[in-house]
Amino acid sequence: LSERLLDDPDPAVRAWAIQLANETGAVPLETRLGRYRQLAADDPSPVVRLALCSAMQRMPLEARWDICAGLVSHAEDAADHNLPLMNWYAVEPLVTVDPDRAMQLAAASKIPTVSRFIVRRAASEEACYEALVARLAAADSPTRKWMLEEMVAALAARGRMKAPAAWEMGYEALVADGDAEVKRLADVVAVRFGDPRVLPQLRALVANRDAAAQERREALEALVSSRDEGTPPVLHSLLDDPTLAKDAVVALAAVPDDATPGVLLEAYEGLPEGSRQAAIATLVSRPPWTLALLDAIEAGRVPRGDLSAFTVGQLAQSADAQVIERLNAVWGTIRSTPEDRKAEFAKWRKALAPAAMKEADPSHGRAVYNRTCGACHLLHGQGGKIGPDITGSNRADLEYLLANLLDPSAVVGRDYQTTTVLTSDGRSIAGIVIKETPTSVTLQTPTEQVTVALDDIDSRILSPQSLMPENQLTQMKPEEARDLVAYLRHPGQVPLPGEGPPPFDIEGRIPGAVEGEALQVVSKSAGDARPQPMGAFKASRWSGDSQVWWTGARPGGTLVLGVPVKVEGRYEVMAVCTKAHDYGTVTFAWDGAKPTGPVDLYDKDAVVTTPEVSLGVHDLKPGTAPLTVEIVGENPAATKAWMFGLDYLRFVPVKDPPPAAK
């Protein structure tokens, strides 16, 4: 009966015959294997091949080889939704059992996903390296390229590995390849294998400011992983390189050199903001460098406020007594008694009372947030991911904010407990563990993801304390603390200082704005578009206390508004819209131009305005220009009403670029 079912003309019957025979075991596997091999190679139905892939999960490994070889011979399965991965699940355990045979299977496979995954899996096991490198050296140039890509991906998570014997000659064959990309990837692998032959050319590539940025970054990553002693001087020379300065600053943390703290502190003032925070992260990675940083802060060479909450919290947990002593001298008392804490709470409740908050500047508060908190926390979709996303937290409650800003260690969620790793070369790395393998651990720090080989770790400490320091507000100027709290309590995003529209005039309007409620409704696919008074919604302020409100539409619907234009020249068109729980996701197309990317108008907590949204830079002429709004979907959490509201449009002149120097 089983044989007859396997010959049935209906592929669903053949697939069920495979599944039932495999589950019941009524027919011994030995008597089915020959037929399975034939079906794997010759059956025209992907349904049958999928059944065979599933069946192999119950088969001994030795029985899978020939069936897998037949299945991966079908090039037509390469684009199938399921078969490439199902084939891989059957093949994966075979790779380490017989690496030579696995390499033959990868070479014969007509399904690129399976071939690539075989190579990546082999590159993750030292026992497979001889077979892998031998196949790599014998392959043609296009095959070498994708094999090297997979090896680089696998070795990136393993740090340095011992080179197999075949690499000595294999590397020579690879660097003689006519494809420059093959040679470049071979150099990256050579570094992972600790091959010193590649280091001089990698240093030269990193230092070459005319080379492609991505190639320089990959070469830099390879040099860092090799702990090349010649790398620090090259990195010191790149601190004024606009392309690679930040990468160089970050990399210096991993390659100890006595000159690094002095070089970084000398260059600090000239570094852009992002590179400054990276420089601080590098300087606090080793106790002697940290002391140099704290001395520079005390001397006024580095602004005291540039130490983020994360950094102070990291230093507060340092095992180095000198660091703790200097931090207390420069920053202030790190740990307070319960009575001190009560006094701090009382002081800040008074300082942040409603009367004082009337003078607060949330825009300045956002700038303070970016400097002190943004490295760790997401707010309105921007910031780091070390700590929790605070967008949906109880930020409007002053007591909640004070508890987290003054006594953050009272409650520390398990997912946000920080691990500090001390390496054998004296580096300290603090962050959240996001990945572990049998050979390495990866931590997310405020500036980067760092993968450390287990062999390089001296100690690893999971802290029950929050990395946010206590009494964080005390370290700020009073107006900074006030403005930070105002920003944190604000229900929506606010522009940074110098960004966004001018302030409201005495009539409650944005000067120069084209009011949404005054626009002509040229056409709409469905629903109703009309002015809506917005004075009753207190979480934000609308220009003229009104907007144009479109309701009754669905995804795919369009609204065309006629916009009066009284200016001429090159302008950026800015729009302020409304966000609420039942608003949709939209795109904008100005006067027939390409639509903008999707703008999500969902807000969980309130009806609020957006920051100014750019609709692109356009050459404007006096007259009436059509603005097309299309509903393209909704936030997954939104109530599906797909509403849209436009407060106003504003035209911002775009300055011509300065003439090129002659």
Side-chain angles (χ1 to χ4, degrees), residues 199-213 215-221 223 228 230-245 248:
L199 297 178
Q201 51 261 43
L202 286 180
R203 288 189 215 118
L205 175 57
V206 170
N208 181 6
R209 303 192 183 199
D210 293 327
E215 292 184 7
R216 295 176 71 197
R217 289 190 175 97
E218 290 176 354
L220 175 56
E221 182 184 351
L223 285 171
D228 171 41
T231 297
V234 176
L235 301 182
H236 295 161
S237 71
L238 296 177
L239 297 183
D240 63 346
D241 182 346
T243 302
L244 228 63

mmCIF file of all heavy atoms in Angstrom, residues 199-213 215-221 223 228 230-245 248:
data_model
loop_
_atom_site.group_PDB
_atom_site.id
_atom_site.type_symbol
_atom_site.label_atom_id
_atom_site.label_comp_id
_atom_site.label_asym_id
_atom_site.label_seq_id
_atom_site.Cartn_x
_atom_site.Cartn_y
_atom_site.Cartn_z
ATOM 1 N N LEU A 199 48.659 42.405 7.892
ATOM 2 C CA LEU A 199 48.520 43.605 8.714
ATOM 3 C C LEU A 199 49.016 44.886 8.047
ATOM 4 O O LEU A 199 48.340 45.926 8.122
ATOM 5 C CB LEU A 199 49.224 43.391 10.049
ATOM 6 C CG LEU A 199 48.648 42.261 10.912
ATOM 7 C CD1 LEU A 199 49.449 42.112 12.201
ATOM 8 C CD2 LEU A 199 47.187 42.530 11.236
ATOM 9 N N PRO A 200 50.179 44.907 7.391
ATOM 10 C CA PRO A 200 50.638 46.176 6.790
ATOM 11 C C PRO A 200 49.668 46.756 5.764
ATOM 12 O O PRO A 200 49.409 47.960 5.765
ATOM 13 C CB PRO A 200 51.980 45.792 6.145
ATOM 14 C CG PRO A 200 52.450 44.610 6.931
ATOM 15 C CD PRO A 200 51.202 43.852 7.269
ATOM 16 N N GLN A 201 49.114 45.900 4.891
ATOM 17 C CA GLN A 201 48.196 46.447 3.888
ATOM 18 C C GLN A 201 46.874 46.905 4.504
ATOM 19 O O GLN A 201 46.252 47.857 4.024
ATOM 20 C CB GLN A 201 47.943 45.461 2.744
ATOM 21 C CG GLN A 201 47.529 44.077 3.147
ATOM 22 C CD GLN A 201 48.700 43.105 3.125
ATOM 23 O OE1 GLN A 201 49.806 43.437 3.590
ATOM 24 N NE2 GLN A 201 48.469 41.914 2.581
ATOM 25 N N LEU A 202 46.441 46.258 5.586
ATOM 26 C CA LEU A 202 45.219 46.717 6.251
ATOM 27 C C LEU A 202 45.440 48.073 6.920
ATOM 28 O O LEU A 202 44.570 48.950 6.867
ATOM 29 C CB LEU A 202 44.757 45.689 7.284
ATOM 30 C CG LEU A 202 44.114 44.423 6.736
ATOM 31 C CD1 LEU A 202 43.705 43.509 7.880
ATOM 32 C CD2 LEU A 202 42.911 44.739 5.870
ATOM 33 N N ARG A 203 46.595 48.259 7.543
ATOM 34 C CA ARG A 203 46.897 49.561 8.138
ATOM 35 C C ARG A 203 46.906 50.646 7.067
ATOM 36 O O ARG A 203 46.378 51.749 7.256
ATOM 37 C CB ARG A 203 48.255 49.527 8.843
ATOM 38 C CG ARG A 203 48.271 48.741 10.128
ATOM 39 C CD ARG A 203 49.613 48.956 10.856
ATOM 40 N NE ARG A 203 50.014 47.741 11.528
ATOM 41 C CZ ARG A 203 51.119 47.045 11.278
ATOM 42 N NH1 ARG A 203 51.961 47.462 10.345
ATOM 43 N NH2 ARG A 203 51.394 45.950 11.947
ATOM 44 N N ALA A 204 47.504 50.326 5.927
ATOM 45 C CA ALA A 204 47.566 51.301 4.832
ATOM 46 C C ALA A 204 46.168 51.639 4.317
ATOM 47 O O ALA A 204 45.878 52.793 3.998
ATOM 48 C CB ALA A 204 48.439 50.755 3.702
ATOM 49 N N LEU A 205 45.282 50.632 4.255
ATOM 50 C CA LEU A 205 43.918 50.871 3.778
ATOM 51 C C LEU A 205 43.153 51.758 4.758
ATOM 52 O O LEU A 205 42.456 52.699 4.357
ATOM 53 C CB LEU A 205 43.190 49.537 3.586
ATOM 54 C CG LEU A 205 41.705 49.618 3.199
ATOM 55 C CD1 LEU A 205 41.513 50.433 1.920
ATOM 56 C CD2 LEU A 205 41.123 48.214 3.031
ATOM 57 N N VAL A 206 43.284 51.492 6.046
ATOM 58 C CA VAL A 206 42.593 52.309 7.042
ATOM 59 C C VAL A 206 43.069 53.762 6.974
ATOM 60 O O VAL A 206 42.274 54.704 7.085
ATOM 61 C CB VAL A 206 42.820 51.738 8.457
ATOM 62 C CG1 VAL A 206 42.308 52.704 9.515
ATOM 63 C CG2 VAL A 206 42.119 50.396 8.603
ATOM 64 N N ALA A 207 44.347 53.971 6.752
ATOM 65 C CA ALA A 207 44.910 55.329 6.729
ATOM 66 C C ALA A 207 44.629 56.063 5.424
ATOM 67 O O ALA A 207 44.757 57.292 5.366
ATOM 68 C CB ALA A 207 46.417 55.263 6.970
ATOM 69 N N ASN A 208 44.212 55.332 4.383
ATOM 70 C CA ASN A 208 44.001 55.930 3.060
ATOM 71 C C ASN A 208 42.651 56.648 3.012
ATOM 72 O O ASN A 208 41.604 56.020 2.875
ATOM 73 C CB ASN A 208 44.066 54.846 1.986
ATOM 74 C CG ASN A 208 43.882 55.411 0.582
ATOM 75 O OD1 ASN A 208 43.807 56.636 0.387
ATOM 76 N ND2 ASN A 208 43.810 54.529 -0.395
ATOM 77 N N ARG A 209 42.653 57.969 3.105
ATOM 78 C CA ARG A 209 41.410 58.733 3.152
ATOM 79 C C ARG A 209 40.697 58.795 1.815
ATOM 80 O O ARG A 209 39.552 59.261 1.750
ATOM 81 C CB ARG A 209 41.684 60.143 3.680
ATOM 82 C CG ARG A 209 42.333 60.136 5.058
ATOM 83 C CD ARG A 209 42.351 61.503 5.701
ATOM 84 N NE ARG A 209 43.051 61.450 6.993
ATOM 85 C CZ ARG A 209 42.926 62.363 7.945
ATOM 86 N NH1 ARG A 209 42.132 63.410 7.757
ATOM 87 N NH2 ARG A 209 43.589 62.259 9.070
ATOM 88 N N ASP A 210 41.329 58.319 0.764
ATOM 89 C CA ASP A 210 40.676 58.291 -0.550
ATOM 90 C C ASP A 210 39.976 56.961 -0.815
ATOM 91 O O ASP A 210 39.251 56.833 -1.806
ATOM 92 C CB ASP A 210 41.713 58.537 -1.658
ATOM 93 C CG ASP A 210 42.287 59.947 -1.602
ATOM 94 O OD1 ASP A 210 41.532 60.866 -1.215
ATOM 95 O OD2 ASP A 210 43.473 60.123 -1.928
ATOM 96 N N ALA A 211 40.194 55.963 0.047
ATOM 97 C CA ALA A 211 39.575 54.650 -0.159
ATOM 98 C C ALA A 211 38.107 54.690 0.264
ATOM 99 O O ALA A 211 37.661 55.598 0.969
ATOM 100 C CB ALA A 211 40.330 53.590 0.645
ATOM 101 N N ALA A 212 37.343 53.684 -0.171
ATOM 102 C CA ALA A 212 35.920 53.604 0.165
ATOM 103 C C ALA A 212 35.745 53.469 1.677
ATOM 104 O O ALA A 212 36.463 52.704 2.339
ATOM 105 C CB ALA A 212 35.280 52.418 -0.546
ATOM 106 N N ALA A 213 34.775 54.212 2.219
ATOM 107 C CA ALA A 213 34.582 54.245 3.666
ATOM 108 C C ALA A 213 34.285 52.868 4.237
ATOM 109 O O ALA A 213 34.829 52.485 5.281
ATOM 110 C CB ALA A 213 33.459 55.220 4.025
ATOM 111 N N GLU A 215 35.098 49.910 3.096
ATOM 112 C CA GLU A 215 36.286 49.053 3.071
ATOM 113 C C GLU A 215 37.240 49.442 4.204
ATOM 114 O O GLU A 215 37.857 48.581 4.837
ATOM 115 C CB GLU A 215 36.979 49.167 1.719
ATOM 116 C CG GLU A 215 36.172 48.569 0.567
ATOM 117 C CD GLU A 215 36.929 48.603 -0.739
ATOM 118 O OE1 GLU A 215 38.124 48.975 -0.730
ATOM 119 O OE2 GLU A 215 36.323 48.257 -1.775
ATOM 120 N N ARG A 216 37.361 50.728 4.461
ATOM 121 C CA ARG A 216 38.230 51.171 5.558
ATOM 122 C C ARG A 216 37.688 50.690 6.899
ATOM 123 O O ARG A 216 38.454 50.258 7.771
ATOM 124 C CB ARG A 216 38.337 52.697 5.549
ATOM 125 C CG ARG A 216 39.019 53.270 4.328
ATOM 126 C CD ARG A 216 38.992 54.790 4.356
ATOM 127 N NE ARG A 216 39.876 55.339 5.370
ATOM 128 C CZ ARG A 216 39.814 56.581 5.841
ATOM 129 N NH1 ARG A 216 38.851 57.390 5.415
ATOM 130 N NH2 ARG A 216 40.672 56.998 6.754
ATOM 131 N N ARG A 217 36.368 50.763 7.071
ATOM 132 C CA ARG A 217 35.778 50.319 8.341
ATOM 133 C C ARG A 217 35.980 48.818 8.542
ATOM 134 O O ARG A 217 36.258 48.365 9.653
ATOM 135 C CB ARG A 217 34.300 50.676 8.381
ATOM 136 C CG ARG A 217 34.036 52.168 8.526
ATOM 137 C CD ARG A 217 32.567 52.458 8.798
ATOM 138 N NE ARG A 217 32.374 53.886 9.048
ATOM 139 C CZ ARG A 217 31.988 54.756 8.128
ATOM 140 N NH1 ARG A 217 31.706 54.336 6.900
ATOM 141 N NH2 ARG A 217 31.844 56.033 8.416
ATOM 142 N N GLU A 218 35.794 48.039 7.485
ATOM 143 C CA GLU A 218 35.986 46.592 7.615
ATOM 144 C C GLU A 218 37.444 46.268 7.916
ATOM 145 O O GLU A 218 37.738 45.367 8.712
ATOM 146 C CB GLU A 218 35.520 45.901 6.338
ATOM 147 C CG GLU A 218 34.003 45.937 6.156
ATOM 148 C CD GLU A 218 33.553 45.325 4.846
ATOM 149 O OE1 GLU A 218 34.419 44.978 4.022
ATOM 150 O OE2 GLU A 218 32.328 45.196 4.640
ATOM 151 N N ALA A 219 38.371 47.003 7.292
ATOM 152 C CA ALA A 219 39.788 46.785 7.585
ATOM 153 C C ALA A 219 40.102 47.163 9.031
ATOM 154 O O ALA A 219 40.864 46.474 9.723
ATOM 155 C CB ALA A 219 40.646 47.606 6.625
ATOM 156 N N LEU A 220 39.486 48.246 9.503
ATOM 157 C CA LEU A 220 39.691 48.664 10.890
ATOM 158 C C LEU A 220 39.169 47.612 11.860
ATOM 159 O O LEU A 220 39.840 47.268 12.843
ATOM 160 C CB LEU A 220 38.984 49.997 11.125
ATOM 161 C CG LEU A 220 38.980 50.533 12.563
ATOM 162 C CD1 LEU A 220 40.393 50.654 13.102
ATOM 163 C CD2 LEU A 220 38.270 51.870 12.623
ATOM 164 N N GLU A 221 37.991 47.082 11.583
ATOM 165 C CA GLU A 221 37.437 46.041 12.446
ATOM 166 C C GLU A 221 38.362 44.831 12.499
ATOM 167 O O GLU A 221 38.571 44.224 13.557
ATOM 168 C CB GLU A 221 36.064 45.632 11.936
ATOM 169 C CG GLU A 221 35.381 44.577 12.789
ATOM 170 C CD GLU A 221 34.054 44.130 12.205
ATOM 171 O OE1 GLU A 221 33.591 44.747 11.236
ATOM 172 O OE2 GLU A 221 33.487 43.154 12.737
ATOM 173 N N LEU A 223 41.656 44.809 12.010
ATOM 174 C CA LEU A 223 42.861 45.141 12.776
ATOM 175 C C LEU A 223 42.596 45.096 14.275
ATOM 176 O O LEU A 223 43.416 44.606 15.053
ATOM 177 C CB LEU A 223 43.352 46.531 12.377
ATOM 178 C CG LEU A 223 44.060 46.651 11.030
ATOM 179 C CD1 LEU A 223 44.293 48.111 10.693
ATOM 180 C CD2 LEU A 223 45.380 45.892 11.034
ATOM 181 N N ASP A 228 46.443 44.228 16.750
ATOM 182 C CA ASP A 228 47.684 44.630 16.103
ATOM 183 C C ASP A 228 48.302 45.811 16.845
ATOM 184 O O ASP A 228 47.679 46.859 17.013
ATOM 185 C CB ASP A 228 47.389 45.007 14.646
ATOM 186 C CG ASP A 228 48.575 45.645 13.963
ATOM 187 O OD1 ASP A 228 49.706 45.161 14.185
ATOM 188 O OD2 ASP A 228 48.375 46.621 13.227
ATOM 189 N N GLY A 230 50.476 47.815 15.906
ATOM 190 C CA GLY A 230 50.729 48.967 15.054
ATOM 191 C C GLY A 230 49.496 49.779 14.737
ATOM 192 O O GLY A 230 49.590 50.808 14.053
ATOM 193 N N THR A 231 48.342 49.367 15.239
ATOM 194 C CA THR A 231 47.091 50.060 14.909
ATOM 195 C C THR A 231 46.904 51.385 15.645
ATOM 196 O O THR A 231 46.454 52.366 15.045
ATOM 197 C CB THR A 231 45.893 49.130 15.172
ATOM 198 O OG1 THR A 231 45.986 47.995 14.292
ATOM 199 C CG2 THR A 231 44.579 49.840 14.912
ATOM 200 N N PRO A 232 47.187 51.508 16.969
ATOM 201 C CA PRO A 232 46.896 52.770 17.668
ATOM 202 C C PRO A 232 47.476 54.015 17.013
ATOM 203 O O PRO A 232 46.759 55.014 16.876
ATOM 204 C CB PRO A 232 47.457 52.523 19.075
ATOM 205 C CG PRO A 232 47.325 51.054 19.266
ATOM 206 C CD PRO A 232 47.633 50.467 17.922
ATOM 207 N N PRO A 233 48.747 54.030 16.570
ATOM 208 C CA PRO A 233 49.240 55.256 15.928
ATOM 209 C C PRO A 233 48.445 55.635 14.679
ATOM 210 O O PRO A 233 48.243 56.830 14.409
ATOM 211 C CB PRO A 233 50.699 54.920 15.580
ATOM 212 C CG PRO A 233 51.075 53.842 16.545
ATOM 213 C CD PRO A 233 49.829 53.039 16.738
ATOM 214 N N VAL A 234 47.983 54.638 13.936
ATOM 215 C CA VAL A 234 47.162 54.927 12.755
ATOM 216 C C VAL A 234 45.856 55.584 13.189
ATOM 217 O O VAL A 234 45.403 56.571 12.597
ATOM 218 C CB VAL A 234 46.882 53.636 11.963
ATOM 219 C CG1 VAL A 234 45.938 53.923 10.791
ATOM 220 C CG2 VAL A 234 48.181 53.025 11.462
ATOM 221 N N LEU A 235 45.238 55.049 14.254
ATOM 222 C CA LEU A 235 43.977 55.605 14.736
ATOM 223 C C LEU A 235 44.164 57.015 15.290
ATOM 224 O O LEU A 235 43.309 57.883 15.098
ATOM 225 C CB LEU A 235 43.382 54.691 15.811
ATOM 226 C CG LEU A 235 43.085 53.254 15.378
ATOM 227 C CD1 LEU A 235 42.450 52.479 16.523
ATOM 228 C CD2 LEU A 235 42.176 53.233 14.163
ATOM 229 N N HIS A 236 45.281 57.265 15.958
ATOM 230 C CA HIS A 236 45.548 58.610 16.473
ATOM 231 C C HIS A 236 45.580 59.626 15.335
ATOM 232 O O HIS A 236 45.158 60.779 15.507
ATOM 233 C CB HIS A 236 46.880 58.633 17.223
ATOM 234 C CG HIS A 236 46.885 57.805 18.456
ATOM 235 N ND1 HIS A 236 48.046 57.368 19.067
ATOM 236 C CD2 HIS A 236 45.863 57.291 19.210
ATOM 237 C CE1 HIS A 236 47.745 56.651 20.139
ATOM 238 N NE2 HIS A 236 46.433 56.586 20.244
ATOM 239 N N SER A 237 46.063 59.204 14.179
ATOM 240 C CA SER A 237 46.175 60.127 13.045
ATOM 241 C C SER A 237 44.842 60.387 12.363
ATOM 242 O O SER A 237 44.745 61.261 11.497
ATOM 243 C CB SER A 237 47.165 59.567 12.014
ATOM 244 O OG SER A 237 46.612 58.436 11.331
ATOM 245 N N LEU A 238 43.798 59.646 12.737
ATOM 246 C CA LEU A 238 42.508 59.764 12.059
ATOM 247 C C LEU A 238 41.483 60.562 12.859
ATOM 248 O O LEU A 238 40.322 60.638 12.459
ATOM 249 C CB LEU A 238 41.948 58.365 11.773
ATOM 250 C CG LEU A 238 42.755 57.493 10.815
ATOM 251 C CD1 LEU A 238 42.115 56.116 10.701
ATOM 252 C CD2 LEU A 238 42.856 58.143 9.446
ATOM 253 N N LEU A 239 41.861 61.154 13.976
ATOM 254 C CA LEU A 239 40.890 61.850 14.813
ATOM 255 C C LEU A 239 40.345 63.115 14.151
ATOM 256 O O LEU A 239 39.327 63.653 14.601
ATOM 257 C CB LEU A 239 41.504 62.187 16.173
ATOM 258 C CG LEU A 239 41.904 60.970 17.021
ATOM 259 C CD1 LEU A 239 42.433 61.409 18.377
ATOM 260 C CD2 LEU A 239 40.735 60.007 17.193
ATOM 261 N N ASP A 240 40.993 63.592 13.099
ATOM 262 C CA ASP A 240 40.465 64.730 12.341
ATOM 263 C C ASP A 240 39.887 64.299 10.997
ATOM 264 O O ASP A 240 39.579 65.141 10.146
ATOM 265 C CB ASP A 240 41.552 65.785 12.123
ATOM 266 C CG ASP A 240 42.715 65.255 11.275
ATOM 267 O OD1 ASP A 240 42.809 64.015 11.093
ATOM 268 O OD2 ASP A 240 43.522 66.071 10.800
ATOM 269 N N ASP A 241 39.727 62.991 10.803
ATOM 270 C CA ASP A 241 39.169 62.463 9.554
ATOM 271 C C ASP A 241 37.644 62.467 9.669
ATOM 272 O O ASP A 241 37.083 61.736 10.483
ATOM 273 C CB ASP A 241 39.682 61.037 9.330
ATOM 274 C CG ASP A 241 39.184 60.423 8.025
ATOM 275 O OD1 ASP A 241 38.249 60.987 7.421
ATOM 276 O OD2 ASP A 241 39.733 59.391 7.611
ATOM 277 N N PRO A 242 36.938 63.276 8.874
ATOM 278 C CA PRO A 242 35.476 63.346 9.034
ATOM 279 C C PRO A 242 34.768 62.025 8.759
ATOM 280 O O PRO A 242 33.666 61.799 9.252
ATOM 281 C CB PRO A 242 35.059 64.423 8.011
ATOM 282 C CG PRO A 242 36.197 64.519 7.051
ATOM 283 C CD PRO A 242 37.432 64.171 7.811
ATOM 284 N N THR A 243 35.397 61.143 7.995
ATOM 285 C CA THR A 243 34.762 59.863 7.668
ATOM 286 C C THR A 243 34.947 58.830 8.764
ATOM 287 O O THR A 243 34.017 58.109 9.119
ATOM 288 C CB THR A 243 35.329 59.312 6.347
ATOM 289 O OG1 THR A 243 35.109 60.257 5.302
ATOM 290 C CG2 THR A 243 34.667 57.984 5.981
ATOM 291 N N LEU A 244 36.135 58.756 9.326
ATOM 292 C CA LEU A 244 36.459 57.636 10.213
ATOM 293 C C LEU A 244 36.799 58.057 11.644
ATOM 294 O O LEU A 244 37.197 57.208 12.446
ATOM 295 C CB LEU A 244 37.641 56.841 9.619
ATOM 296 C CG LEU A 244 37.454 55.313 9.569
ATOM 297 C CD1 LEU A 244 36.300 54.969 8.655
ATOM 298 C CD2 LEU A 244 38.725 54.637 9.063
ATOM 299 N N ALA A 245 36.601 59.337 11.980
ATOM 300 C CA ALA A 245 37.017 59.791 13.311
ATOM 301 C C ALA A 245 36.308 59.019 14.418
ATOM 302 O O ALA A 245 36.946 58.514 15.349
ATOM 303 C CB ALA A 245 36.761 61.291 13.457
ATOM 304 N N ALA A 248 37.454 55.468 14.683
ATOM 305 C CA ALA A 248 38.786 55.387 15.275
ATOM 306 C C ALA A 248 38.723 55.557 16.790
ATOM 307 O O ALA A 248 39.398 54.837 17.540
ATOM 308 C CB ALA A 248 39.687 56.455 14.661
#
